[in-house]
């Protein structure tokens, strides 16, 4: 019996390390990369004064012109537009504290389980595997969100933010904006590729 115990617990390796979360390093790496992407995105933010210059606003003469303006302004002000949309979503959650608490509770649960916890999850005398933890937490999150109005609030905030940015893009004349080939061909999330490859960002002011 003593020999079986020695074989089941190799020297210098506690049981908690052998069966602990394998996903914590990957989750922390994902957070680190996310932070790098955010820093790279903020580095591409255009001056707000350039975005709200009143002398650059004019009513488009046609739907085609409005569409062209939106496309060009989206390429140039994509980070600013993202900040505006995020601010609208944040304001919507602040104005609905119950939804904010629910969303914060769910995010806190994911943060604890995948960024803070270092031991296997044990509840009701049973040790849960990482797959079981992920499935249970996913189902719980979906149920909690669907039982509240978090989804409708987030969707409404996103639509309002997109309407604001589309209106700005249609009214702002982009004639004074210089778009290089990379910027003109990039989409709303093209900064992720730039941040990952380390390509220096050229600011056009």
């Amino acid at each position: 019996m003593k020999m079986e115990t020695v074989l089941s617990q190799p020297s210098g390796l506690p049981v908690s390390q052998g069966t602990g979360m394998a996903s914590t390093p990957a989750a922390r790496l994902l957070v680190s990369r996310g932070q790098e992407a955010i820093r790279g995105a903020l580095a591409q933010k255009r001056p707000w004064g350039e975005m709200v210059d009143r002398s650059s606003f004019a009513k488009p003469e046609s739907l085609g012109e409005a569409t062209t303006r939106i496309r060009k302004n989206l390429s140039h002000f994509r980070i600013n537009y993202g900040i505006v949309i995020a601010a609208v979503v944040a304001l919507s959650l602040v104005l609905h504290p119950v939804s904010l608490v629910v969303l914060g509770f769910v995010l806190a649960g994911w943060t604890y389980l995948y960024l803070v916890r270092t031991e296997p999850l044990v509840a009701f005398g049973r040790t849960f595997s990482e797959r079981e933890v992920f499935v249970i937490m996913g189902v719980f999150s979906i149920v909690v969100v669907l039982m509240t109005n978090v989804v409708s609030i987030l969707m409404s905030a996103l639509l309002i933010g997109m309407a604001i940015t589309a209106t700005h893009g249609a009214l702002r004349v982009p004639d004074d904006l210089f778009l290089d080939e990379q910027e003109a061909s990039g989409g709303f999330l093209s900064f992720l590729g730039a941040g990952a490859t380390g390509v220096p960002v050229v600011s056009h002011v």
Side-chain angles (χ1 to χ4, degrees):
M1 180 65 66
K2 183 176 181 180
M3 182 176 296
E4 292 178 358
T5 304
V6 173
L7 291 177
S8 61
Q9 301 181 10
S11 175
L13 180 62
V15 177
S16 60
Q17 295 181 2
T19 59
M21 304 180 46
S23 60
T24 298
R28 291 175 177 170
L29 178 61
L30 181 62
V31 171
S32 176
R33 291 182 177 178
Q35 292 175 344
E36 292 178 0
I38 292 175
R39 286 193 292 266
L42 293 178
Q44 301 182 51
K45 179 177 64 66
R46 305 299 177 180
W48 293 103
E50 176 185 354
M51 182 177 176
V52 298
D53 184 7
R54 291 186 297 177
S55 63
S56 299
F57 286 86
K59 181 180 178 180
E61 297 181 357
S62 63
L63 179 60
E65 181 182 359
T67 303
T68 301
R69 289 183 182 183
I70 292 175
R71 180 178 57 81
K72 291 183 178 180
N73 285 316
L74 178 61
S75 296
H76 192 75
F77 295 112
R78 58 185 178 273
I79 304 303
N80 301 71
Y81 287 161
I83 295 174
V84 170
I85 294 175
V88 173
V89 172
L91 179 61
S92 299
L93 290 174
V94 170
L95 295 177
H96 298 83
V98 175
S99 300
L100 180 61
V101 171
V102 171
L103 187 60
F105 179 76
V106 173
L107 292 178
W110 284 101
T111 300
Y112 170 76
L113 290 174
Y114 286 96
L115 295 179
V116 178
R117 179 173 61 97
T118 58
E119 299 291 337
L121 181 63
V122 179
F124 306 106
R126 182 177 182 274
T127 301
F128 291 86
S129 66
E130 293 305 314
R131 178 175 297 181
E132 291 173 332
V133 171
F134 180 81
V135 172
I136 294 174
M137 192 61 190
V139 173
F140 172 77
S141 302
I142 293 174
V143 172
V144 170
V145 169
L146 291 180
M147 291 180 61
T148 61
N149 57 348
V150 173
V151 176
S152 61
I153 291 175
L154 292 178
M155 292 300 298
S156 300
L158 288 174
L159 291 176
I160 293 174
M162 293 173 63
I164 293 174
T165 56
T167 302
H168 175 274
L171 294 178
R172 197 203 188 282
V173 181
D175 293 343
D176 61 332
L177 303 182
F178 173 74
L179 304 178
D180 55 28
E181 292 183 1
Q182 178 183 358
E183 189 177 30
S185 60
F188 184 73
L189 298 178
S190 61
F191 64 86
L192 294 177
T197 57
V199 178
V201 178
V202 179
S203 178
H204 307 290
V205 179

